[in-house]
Amino acid sequence: MQGDNFFFTKKHSWKKKIVVSNILEVENLSKSFGGIKANNNISFEAYSGEIIGIIGPNGAGKSTLFDLITGYTKPDTGGVKFNGQNILNLR
């Protein structure tokens, strides 16, 4: 998975055979500041037991993505679901 300027890395936990479902779903998140795109159509899912890392250079939009997911900053477009429930407007 990949954003415009950074990459997602995933580590799966395969020790147990269990049914996993996505606990976090990010769909087409975008945010611009004064015409500069900090994030552009970011989409990914995180499943139970996964470890996800977001790596990239300074200014790539990693902190902005985290702020969008947590609701600290409102996205221009897109959505975030936690356990199937929209969490963007909870704040």
Side-chain angles (χ1 to χ4, degrees), residues 24 68-75 80-91:
L24 180 67
L68 293 171
I69 292 170
T70 60
Y72 185 77
T73 303
K74 285 193 133 194
V80 178
K81 292 180 183 177
F82 182 74
N83 285 331
Q85 180 181 4
N86 182 0
I87 61 170
L88 279 183
N89 298 317
L90 294 180
R91 191 166 185 198

Side-chain angles (χ1 to χ4, degrees), residues 38-79:
N39 294 125
N40 188 27
N41 292 322
I42 305 297
S43 296
F44 67 91
E45 294 177 342
Y47 292 86
S48 178
E50 283 187 323
I51 299 170
I52 298 176
I54 302 171
I55 57 175
N58 292 345
K62 302 176 301 291
S63 295
T64 301
L65 177 62
F66 185 76
D67 290 345
L68 293 171
I69 292 170
T70 60
Y72 185 77
T73 303
K74 285 193 133 194
D76 297 333
T77 62

